[in-house]
């Protein structure tokens, strides 16, 4: 049957995003067909569009969505037609009215969680889950520990602020305006640093932590924050670089880690963590529990029609978005 999807023929700017007719067939073994009620918007979509993360062309975009399962293929037992469902998953293709996709990362969406919330929270919420629960410094994290989280007023950041508060952590968030800093504080950050005013944010981190530094830095910004992130760490601290919104991290000498206090660096990805259905389900259950309990609220400030995908990317790259955004088919 014919559906609508966003496709790019070549990497480039937002103008490359085209809404076209596509054929969506029946699911094969291990697959489902899902009709979207909402699709998530994430910075990884920009990387796919501009070629930073190259995709075979022509390519479809979008890594998360929520909707209703229409059909299941052979071997799929955890879902059935009519189920409400949500996912963060490879391959890209969520910017569509409907799609066929692998079933292993698609989870039943609890009735208490809306489709828009489901679409806005899966990639971002599962990212926060693997960061705060699995990507940990030596000795782990205990209540009262300081962590530094960049882009704290974005979709991932606001979830992280709330989840960290629920864990008893003292999250120090960075953001690019006083308004965004206030938003991070309202969502559970213990401290917020406006990096446009306090350019040397590492000095501010040292001031907040009485000179000690933080146990872990969660950094999705990349090039612009790399040096300051290293300088914010306590001895034996961990820098988790999970994105590069300002560009890729430049080459560095491993000896720098020794000089700055026997530091650790990792470059984790969500898709390593959700490689199996069992792992995805366990992480998803924890995320659903946090949202259903109200400890984590998913803020959606922007809604775009699927046909306005190019505008959504312009707004995302201009850092005009607060919280999460969704595309509505």
């Amino acid at each position: 049957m014919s559906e609508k999807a966003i496709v790019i023929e070549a990497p480039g700017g937002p103008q490359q995003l085209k809404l076209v007719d596509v054929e969506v067939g029946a699911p094969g073994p291990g697959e489902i067909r899902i009709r979207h009620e909402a699709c998530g918007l994430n910075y990884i979509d920009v990387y796919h569009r501009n070629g930073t993360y190259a995709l075979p062309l022509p390519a479809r975009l979008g890594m998360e969505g929520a909707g209703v399962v229409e059909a299941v293929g052979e071997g799929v037992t955890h879902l059935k037609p009519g189920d409400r469902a949500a996912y963060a998953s490879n391959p890209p293709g969520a910017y569509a009215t409907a799609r066929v996709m692998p079933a292993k990362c698609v989870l039943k969406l609890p009735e208490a969680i809306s489709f828009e919330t489901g679409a806005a929270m899966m990639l971002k919420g599962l990212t926060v889950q693997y960061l705060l629960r699995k990507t940990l410094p030596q000795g782990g994290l205990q209540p009262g520990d300081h962590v530094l989280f960049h882009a704290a007023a974005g979709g991932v950041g606001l979830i992280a602020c709330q989840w960290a508060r629920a864990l008893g952590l003292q999250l120090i968030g960075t953001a690019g305006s006083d308004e965004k800093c206030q938003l991070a504080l309202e969502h559970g950050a213990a401290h917020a640093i406006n990096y446009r005013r306090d350019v040397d944010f590492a000095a501010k981190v040292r001031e907040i932590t009485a000179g000690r530094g933080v146990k872990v830095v969660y950094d999705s910004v990349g090039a612009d924050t790399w040096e300051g992130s290293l300088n914010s760490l306590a001895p034996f601290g961990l820098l988790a670089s999970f994105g590069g919104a300002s560009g890729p991290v430049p080459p560095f000498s491993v000896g720098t880690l020794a000089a700055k206090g026997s530091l650790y660096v990792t470059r984790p990805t969500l898709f390593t963590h959700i490689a199996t259905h069992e792992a995805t389900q366990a992480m998803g259950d924890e995320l659903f529990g946090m949202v259903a309990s109200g400890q984590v609220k998913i803020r959606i400030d922007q809604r775009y029609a699927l046909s306005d995908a190019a505008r959504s990317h312009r707004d995302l790259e201009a850092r005009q978005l607060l919280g999460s955004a969704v595309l509505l088919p």
Side-chain angles (χ1 to χ4, degrees), residues 165-255:
R165 177 175 58 188
L167 294 173
L169 302 175
Q170 298 290 301
L171 184 143
I172 304 168
T174 69
S177 70
D178 288 342
E179 177 192 14
K180 289 183 176 181
C181 285
Q182 183 59 37
L183 191 61
L185 292 169
E186 291 171 357
H187 282 74
H191 306 273
I193 300 170
N194 181 343
Y195 60 77
R196 298 194 189 281
R197 184 176 58 242
D198 294 307
V199 178
D200 186 1
F201 64 82
K204 197 72 175 175
V205 169
R206 294 284 175 182
E207 179 184 323
I208 291 169
T209 60
R212 292 186 300 275
V214 297
K215 281 190 170 183
V216 59
V217 178
Y218 298 110
D219 190 339
S220 63
V221 177
D224 289 354
T225 51
W226 176 256
E227 190 68 25
S229 291
L230 290 175
N231 291 337
S232 298
L233 286 166
F236 309 109
L238 171 68
L239 172 47
S241 175
F242 69 102
S246 68
V249 172
F252 70 99
S253 168
V254 172

Side-chain angles (χ1 to χ4, degrees), residues 4 31-32 43 71 74 98 105 121 130 142 158 176 246 262 291 294:
K4 296 287 188 182
E31 295 181 330
I32 65 159
Y43 214 92
E74 181 183 352
C105 292
M121 78 178 195
Y130 88 71
Q142 286 78 41
L158 291 183
S246 68
S262 300
V291 173

Side-chain angles (χ1 to χ4, degrees), residues 11-307:
Q15 73 278 2
Q16 296 293 339
L17 300 170
K18 306 297 183 186
L19 185 66
V20 301
D21 292 320
V22 296
E23 292 299 316
V24 178
E31 295 181 330
I32 65 159
R33 187 174 70 235
I34 184 169
R35 179 160 301 280
H36 291 131
E37 296 289 338
C39 316
L41 179 69
N42 296 281
Y43 214 92
I44 192 174
D45 306 341
V46 172
Y47 298 148
H48 286 149
R49 190 208 71 224
N50 66 22
T52 300
Y53 298 163
L55 296 175
L57 297 170
R60 301 184 190 181
L61 300 189
M63 303 298 294
E64 67 178 344
V68 177
V69 177
E70 291 189 321
V72 303
E74 181 183 352
V76 177
T77 59
H78 68 285
L79 296 165
K80 65 182 186 303
D83 280 346
R84 303 170 79 253
Y87 67 86
S89 176
N90 272 316
Y95 290 10
T97 53
R99 69 181 294 198
V100 167
M101 63 178 295
K104 69 177 182 179
C105 292
V106 184
L107 304 180
K108 285 186 181 180
L109 184 65
E111 291 288 343
I113 300 175
S114 72
F115 287 119
E116 286 191 8
T117 297
M121 78 178 195
M122 292 299 290
L123 190 144
K124 291 173 278 290
L126 292 175
T127 295
V128 173
Q129 196 277 346
Y130 88 71
L131 289 173
L132 293 182
R133 303 288 284 154
K134 297 184 177 184
T135 311
L136 302 174
Q138 275 197 345
L141 290 171
Q142 286 78 41
D145 284 344
H146 286 93
V147 305
L148 178 61
F149 208 102
H150 291 301
V156 174
L158 291 183
I159 296 173
C161 288
Q162 298 172 81
W163 206 317
R165 177 175 58 188
L167 294 173
L169 302 175
Q170 298 290 301
L171 184 143
I172 304 168
T174 69
S177 70
D178 288 342
E179 177 192 14
K180 289 183 176 181
C181 285
Q182 183 59 37
L183 191 61
L185 292 169
E186 291 171 357
H187 282 74
H191 306 273
I193 300 170
N194 181 343
Y195 60 77
R196 298 194 189 281
R197 184 176 58 242
D198 294 307
V199 178
D200 186 1
F201 64 82
K204 197 72 175 175
V205 169
R206 294 284 175 182
E207 179 184 323
I208 291 169
T209 60
R212 292 186 300 275
V214 297
K215 281 190 170 183
V216 59
V217 178
Y218 298 110
D219 190 339
S220 63
V221 177
D224 289 354
T225 51
W226 176 256
E227 190 68 25
S229 291
L230 290 175
N231 291 337
S232 298
L233 286 166
F236 309 109
L238 171 68
L239 172 47
S241 175
F242 69 102
S246 68
V249 172
F252 70 99
S253 168
V254 172
T256 301
L257 304 180
K260 291 183 181 294
S262 300
L263 304 181
Y264 294 79
V265 172
T266 185
R267 179 55 174 92
T269 70
L270 171 63
F271 299 105
T272 309
H273 287 84
I274 59 173
T276 67
H277 171 65
E278 292 75 18
T280 308
Q281 188 69 61
M283 293 170 65
D285 286 345
E286 187 168 5
L287 173 61
F288 293 152
M290 294 296 289
V291 173
S293 70
Q295 293 181 88
V296 169
K297 294 180 171 62
I298 307 300
R299 177 176 174 137
I300 303 173
D301 281 335
Q302 297 83 20
R303 294 169 175 83
Y304 302 88
L306 186 61
S307 57

Side-chain angles (χ1 to χ4, degrees), residues 301-319:
D301 281 335
Q302 297 83 20
R303 294 169 175 83
Y304 302 88
L306 186 61
S307 57
D308 280 339
R311 181 164 65 90
S312 76
H313 274 226
R314 291 188 188 98
D315 291 347
L316 182 61
E317 288 185 279
R319 301 188 183 184

